[in-house]
Amino acid sequence: MSGEALLKAVRAGRTVEAAGLLDGMTDGERRSCLPALKELRKELRSAPWNAASRVAHPALHAAGAACHTGVAGAATWIAGVDMRWSQASPGVLLHVLGDRETDWLADLTHRLAARPATSRVPFALLSGLVALSGCEVPTTDAYVRGWLEHIGASWHGGGTVAQRLRKEPHVSVMVTALFESLEVTSQIAWLFGDGPGSWYNALAELSEEGILDRKVVLDACVARLLRGGAPADQRVFLRLLSSLAPTRGEERERSADWTVLAGQAVPSVAWYAQSVLASLALDGELTSRQLAEMSSGVLFRTEKKLVRAQLVLLGKVLKRDPSTADVLLPAVAEAFGHEDTDVQERALKLVERHVGALPDSFDVRARLEDLSADLSPGLRLRAQRALGIEAPGSASTVQEEVLPPVPERARLAPAPESVTELAEEVSAILASGGGVAAFERALDGLVRHAHRDRDALVEALGPVVARCWWKDRDPSYPVVDRSFRESAQGLEVVLAALFEGVGMETLRAAVQQGSTRGNCHHSALSRALDARLWEAGYRLRTDPMPFLLATPTWDTGLLEPDELVKRLTEYRRLDARPGTADFAQALLRVRRDDRATTEAAAARARALGSPEGYRLSQWLTAEGPLLPTSRRRTSGARILLELGELEEIQGLFPKEFRLLGRPLAVFKDHWYCGHWGVTDQRYWPAVVPGRRELVAARLLRDISTAAVEDVRMDAAMLPLLAEADGAAGEALHLCLAYGLGARHPEDRLAAVDALLVLAARGQLDAGRLGSDIGELVRRGALKKSRLAESIRTAAATGAYATVWSVLLGLLPALLADLTADGAGGGAVRGLGELLAIAADCAERSGARGDLAHLAGTAERHGSSKIVTQARRLRTALTREAVA
């Protein structure tokens, strides 16, 4: 009877009444109520989320927690997702659980505390359970986060953070756990607050008062900095460390920790550690060995401010105690390998100033000689002169140009012979994509095996397509057909057609009418690719093709003419009907740059007597591949290209392929573009192999956004375009220019890879690229600082002559702007870095000659980086060739 009364009270949402009924029940009676409570919970899960259904949740939450006599069941019930937003108050839960044994409550406490913070178990419940059970306080992420928010909420008890912490019984344990918790770190920055009453000052106060062990807090804070993390998180612990104000003795005890932080921590932490060590060193409390060890870490950092400060510190110590030269000068020489030649020169000046204090030790001088090899060639000669190692000018400073291996075409392997092997390859493509070779082999394999034994193919592919989004969808729900009608989605539409997951009417409409998407700059490429996939899927269901005609011979997408003639011959023998889109793609892919081969293949194609044979014969004997005319247009800061009509890809080509030859206009095609993040972009160069300018022009606006609007682009496309076949013209070089000035480092690295590949293939027009970059910088589309990083990266690979040839086309425009700008203004920013790279490349490549506007810059007064590097570049360009 009590069970019925409990269920009635729970349904009505009378939590107090339910709690009273539970107080009078035995464990057996409570367990007997569980099935009815679980049924009610299941019922409420499917009920509408409104006031009527929510009213029972708090009472149900409390009753279920009390009726579970097992700890695991009670914990699962209390933390249930469906109970999270309308649960019993912590006070009610503590009341109904208060009669449990302390061991049971302790177990429940730690189980709930071990759940992730997203479970949103109230901290008031957890802390109440700790008090009831008398157990050790949990130090899990969820408990620590709850405690942190509890202390930080001034409304619950008033007073400052320090005052509230003094009342906490477990403050030492919780503060230690706070430093160790990684999940809570992201909350600390805003919860710690600011001002006199902040957490920073509170922890410092409690450490001074002895409530917290000062040494433990200091060690925990330093350990947290040593662990590393996001800069924002590290700044929190750095500020706390500053609030603790370590004494000189405490700083000295942790000198090894400061050394590690100075070399490896985020800049703000490294700067603090460096300042501590500098103070110790200048007061004579750091040995020369310790200072040398610290310098080895700092001088390898990229932050020039840190590196320069370290060199200043080393100079002060060397001046005060010249006897440390044998230990400290090799540490100074570590900076010879720094990417910034200004840093190299500062280090060399320090060595020159103190080399006379070196003892007659062959080992130290030999070490300095080895490190001097990392200097730029001009500085290396000075180092040799200072060290007296060899007569300057006795060795050539010109370095051999290093470029990556020229990528070679790879012949496609035949389609997989077995359906099992084909299923594995299709699964790999669906999971992580693949290149042109993998995609074309898989597509041809699907067509071949569907023609031979469709049932065996379906059986082998069953486990592969089981996870596809369209599998087992309700046929009456049109999302699948509508989605495939807009886009083929790679191999997905072929697989969906094979498993009858897409309707025949949808496939027929796609083949006959094409895409329903509006036009954008990418439509010509995407529609041609989709047309072939739709056709493959449609023919699987109606008239399976024995194989595909357009499968390329090479991984760049090119198809050998002899191979295409053989395929048409086999089609003729089998009396098979070629696919319209498949044959059109084959024509665009067939290689036509060898006249003798194409004429012989044309004759054999004509002899077939089929319409496709005549069409192929005409195509092979025509001039090609042709490129459309182009002209530059400007759009804001951008420089874009418009393409004229390409009559060759018109006429007898299917409608979806004619777009490839239609004009490309900058200020038209303003339809919504649905190609963001489309993985099929990697296959676009293979749609028109030998004409990569068509692809580059259509991707130009996208790639420009990486620099102009600071968005992330598909970084892999630039290297793919560099490796593709065809002329490297205006569109590709503009794409490369934008890529070198992109916002994100990975995009810039992709552009560097593309630049080096083009240079290795002898297809880089360095003058054009440099001129394009200069024009884009002037228009504000590119930032010189980003360009400097990209160009320095390219030079660091050993391509000094290549990079110099690009800078030779870029620098005159920037130097002219500097002259016209007088004091500099916007023309100054980043120019010093570019001049430094140019000087380094000129020295290492042996470049000689004149550079417009360089002399005027070098003759300016002062010692700014621009002037210093201009002088260095002028010296390199006018130096007599070394014999």
Side-chain angles (χ1 to χ4, degrees):
M1 195 66 181
S2 58
E4 293 179 4
L6 176 64
L7 187 61
K8 186 177 179 180
V10 168
R11 278 190 176 278
R14 296 193 292 270
T15 307
V16 175
E17 180 182 339
L21 292 170
L22 288 165
D23 288 342
M25 289 185 182
T26 64
D27 281 353
E29 290 173 333
R30 290 184 179 186
R31 282 194 296 270
S32 67
C33 295
L34 264 181
L37 293 174
K38 289 180 177 179
E39 277 298 316
L40 176 57
R41 182 181 183 183
K42 184 177 179 181
E43 177 187 326
L44 292 177
R45 281 174 181 166
S46 58
W49 189 245
N50 53 31
S53 62
R54 285 203 309 271
V55 69
H57 273 275
L60 177 62
H61 190 222
C67 291
H68 275 89
T69 55
V71 180
T76 301
W77 182 279
I78 292 171
V81 175
D82 54 331
M83 301 287 190
R84 190 170 299 166
W85 303 109
S86 183
Q87 56 184 254
S89 68
V92 171
L93 289 173
L94 292 172
H95 173 79
V96 298
L97 296 172
D99 58 351
R100 299 293 183 187
E101 296 179 356
T102 55
D103 289 345
W104 191 97
L105 289 171
D107 191 1
L108 177 65
T109 303
H110 286 280
R111 285 176 183 269
L112 290 175
R115 290 181 172 269
T118 52
S119 295
R120 302 187 67 84
V121 178
F123 176 76
L125 173 62
L126 293 174
S127 59
L129 289 171
V130 169
L132 278 176
S133 64
C135 66
E136 291 185 3
V137 62
T139 56
T140 62
D141 286 333
Y143 194 90
V144 172
R145 178 175 178 174
W147 180 81
L148 186 66
E149 294 174 348
H150 167 75
I151 296 296
S154 59
W155 54 265
H156 79 87
T160 65
V161 172
Q163 290 170 342
R164 294 195 292 275
L165 284 173
R166 291 188 184 100
K167 300 175 183 177
E168 284 294 308
H170 308 290
V171 63
S172 297
V173 176
M174 294 310 300
V175 169
T176 302
L178 181 65
F179 286 108
E180 295 174 353
S181 175
L182 286 176
E183 189 173 312
V184 177
T185 300
S186 59
Q187 306 293 319
I188 288 179
W190 65 271
L191 286 174
F192 262 40
D194 208 343
S198 69
W199 273 85
Y200 303 107
N201 292 333
L203 293 177
E205 285 180 29
L206 267 62
S207 298
E208 289 297 324
E209 295 169 6
I211 296 175
L212 295 175
D213 189 322
R214 179 178 172 83
K215 183 178 185 304
V216 170
V217 176
L218 271 173
D219 287 342
C221 196
V222 174
R224 191 62 184 79
L225 292 172
L226 287 168
R227 185 187 296 179
D233 299 335
Q234 292 289 281
R235 284 194 291 269
V236 171
F237 295 103
L238 176 60
R239 183 171 173 186
L240 176 57
L241 182 63
S242 300
S243 298
L244 292 169
T247 64
R248 178 49 59 92
E250 290 169 336
E251 290 176 342
R252 188 169 52 250
E253 290 173 7
R254 295 166 177 80
S255 58
D257 296 330
W258 308 133
T259 299
V260 175
L261 290 173
Q264 300 177 12
V266 297
S268 57
V269 177
W271 184 258
Y272 176 89
Q274 184 190 47
S275 64
V276 171
L277 289 171
S279 179
L280 291 172
L282 294 175
D283 289 346
E285 298 185 66
L286 206 65
T287 67
S288 57
R289 295 288 177 190
Q290 289 175 312
L291 180 57
E293 181 186 357
M294 166 208 179
S295 301
S296 296
V298 174
L299 294 177
F300 272 106
R301 296 187 67 106
T302 57
E303 298 86 6
K304 297 168 190 175
K305 183 179 178 182
L306 283 167
V307 174
R308 290 168 184 165
Q310 190 67 21
L311 290 174
V312 170
L313 172 63
L314 288 166
K316 289 179 179 179
V317 175
L318 283 165
K319 183 178 180 180
R320 187 188 63 193
D321 186 1
S323 66
T324 60
D326 61 330
V327 176
L328 296 184
L329 282 187
V332 171
E334 296 282 356
F336 288 173
H338 199 277
E339 62 181 19
D340 187 354
T341 54
D342 281 348
V343 171
Q344 292 182 15
E345 188 167 13
R346 285 171 183 262
L348 179 56
K349 285 179 180 178
L350 206 53
V351 171
E352 289 172 333
R353 192 176 302 131
H354 297 282
V355 70
L358 283 176
D360 294 330
S361 170
F362 173 78
D363 291 341
V364 176
R365 290 182 177 270
R367 176 61 178 159
L368 293 176
E369 179 185 6
D370 291 341
L371 291 171
S372 69
D374 295 329
L375 287 166
S376 65
L379 295 176
R380 194 183 313 141
L381 294 176
R382 277 178 53 184
Q384 292 172 350
R385 193 178 295 116
L387 295 171
I389 295 169
E390 62 177 36
S394 63
S396 174
T397 60
V398 176
Q399 297 184 12
E400 183 179 353
E401 182 79 348
V402 178
L403 292 172
V406 177
E408 298 182 358
R409 296 174 186 160
R411 184 178 284 272
L412 260 68
E417 283 295 326
S418 70
V419 290
T420 303
E421 183 184 355
L422 174 62
E424 292 175 354
E425 296 195 10
V426 169
S427 178
I429 291 173
L430 293 180
S432 57
V436 170
F439 175 78
E440 291 290 344
R441 288 182 70 246
L443 179 59
D444 189 41
L446 289 171
V447 171
R448 288 176 182 269
H449 284 287
H451 183 267
R452 294 176 192 169
D453 190 344
R454 176 173 174 170
D455 292 340
L457 178 61
V458 168
E459 182 179 357
L461 288 172
V464 175
V465 303
R467 61 177 180 270
C468 289
W469 66 270
W470 45 264
K471 191 70 172 68
D472 298 327
R473 285 293 183 106
D474 186 351
S476 62
Y477 193 54
V479 64
V480 174
D481 284 73
R482 185 168 60 246
S483 179
F484 281 127
R485 183 68 179 82
E486 291 181 354
S487 170
Q489 302 174 49
L491 294 180
E492 295 264 9
V493 73
V494 182
L495 295 170
L498 183 66
F499 282 82
E500 300 185 3
V502 58
M504 278 298 299
E505 288 302 318
T506 299
L507 291 172
R508 183 181 295 108
V511 169
Q512 293 176 354
Q513 302 167 20
S515 175
T516 59
R517 266 186 191 164
N519 287 334
C520 66
H521 290 161
H522 316 102
S523 296
L525 297 162
S526 66
R527 287 190 175 193
L529 178 62
D530 284 352
R532 187 162 166 249
L533 293 165
W534 281 322
E535 181 181 76
Y538 179 69
R539 292 288 297 271
L540 285 182
R541 299 268 287 275
T542 56
D543 180 17
M545 296 179 284
F547 52 84
L548 292 176
L549 295 172
T551 303
T553 307
W554 306 98
D555 60 354
T556 60
L558 283 177
L559 172 60
E560 291 296 328
D562 289 340
E563 195 163 342
L564 180 54
V565 173
K566 289 179 182 178
R567 293 174 186 174
L568 285 175
T569 303
E570 181 65 11
Y571 259 72
R572 181 80 168 175
R573 187 186 70 80
L574 295 172
D575 194 24
R577 179 170 61 89
T580 304
D582 186 36
F583 180 63
Q585 179 64 89
L587 290 179
L588 289 176
R589 284 178 170 172
V590 71
R591 189 166 65 88
R592 297 188 286 169
D593 57 356
D594 184 340
R595 297 311 302 172
T597 300
T598 55
E599 288 175 3
R604 290 194 297 275
R606 192 181 306 110
L608 290 175
S610 64
E612 290 77 20
Y614 284 120
R615 180 78 177 92
L616 175 59
S617 177
Q618 292 174 349
W619 182 260
L620 289 174
T621 54
E623 183 182 358
L626 302 175
L627 290 175
T629 58
S630 64
R631 70 165 178 162
R632 292 193 172 204
R633 297 293 300 271
T634 58
S635 175
R638 290 180 172 88
I639 298 174
L640 302 173
L641 284 184
E642 291 189 334
L643 300 181
E645 187 173 30
L646 192 58
E647 293 183 3
E648 185 184 38
I649 310 180
Q650 296 295 314
L652 298 177
F653 275 90
K655 181 184 70 172
E656 295 295 274
F657 284 81
R658 292 176 204 155
L659 290 173
L660 292 166
R662 296 281 170 79
L664 175 66
V666 169
F667 300 110
K668 293 183 180 179
D669 300 333
H670 288 303
W671 293 82
Y672 166 77
C673 176
H675 297 95
W676 291 102
V678 174
T679 57
D680 290 351
Q681 285 188 1
R682 71 189 74 179
Y683 310 132
W684 288 354
V687 173
V688 281
R691 308 184 211 234
R692 58 181 163 186
E693 281 288 287
L694 291 180
V695 183
R698 285 170 167 79
L699 292 175
L700 184 56
R701 180 179 287 275
D702 295 341
I703 295 176
S704 71
T705 61
V708 178
E709 299 177 16
D710 293 351
V711 301
R712 196 182 303 275
M713 69 175 188
D714 187 354
M717 284 307 296
L718 283 174
L720 290 178
L721 288 174
E723 295 171 5
D725 295 304
E730 194 171 16
L732 181 54
H733 281 78
L734 276 172
C735 284
L736 192 56
Y738 284 119
L740 292 171
R743 163 67 176 83
H744 296 280
E746 56 269 34
D747 293 336
R748 294 198 296 270
L749 284 175
V752 170
D753 288 344
L755 183 151
L756 296 175
V757 168
L758 285 175
R761 298 181 71 183
Q763 298 173 340
L764 178 69
D765 188 336
R768 166 183 275 177
L769 178 59
S771 177
D772 286 343
I773 292 174
E775 191 173 353
L776 289 170
V777 169
R778 281 177 155 179
R779 296 184 62 85
L782 302 182
K783 292 181 172 61
K784 292 191 284 290
S785 58
R786 296 176 187 172
L787 286 169
E789 290 185 22
S790 300
I791 293 172
R792 184 187 296 109
T793 301
T797 65
Y800 298 108
T802 297
V803 172
W804 166 248
S805 62
V806 174
L807 290 169
L808 191 60
L810 165 63
L811 287 175
L814 302 185
L815 293 173
D817 287 346
L818 180 67
T819 303
D821 203 21
V828 171
R829 288 189 293 274
L831 181 56
E833 293 291 333
L834 290 171
L835 284 169
I837 300 166
D840 195 43
C841 290
E843 290 172 348
R844 294 177 186 273
S845 66
R848 301 291 182 269
D850 187 27
L851 187 66
H853 306 290
L854 177 63
T857 305
E859 290 168 2
R860 285 185 167 209
H861 297 294
S863 58
S864 66
K865 183 163 188 173
I866 289 178
V867 174
T868 302
Q869 295 302 328
R871 292 169 183 167
R872 178 183 163 214
L873 176 57
R874 182 177 62 175
T875 300
L877 293 176
T878 56
R879 182 183 296 128
E880 293 184 5
V882 179

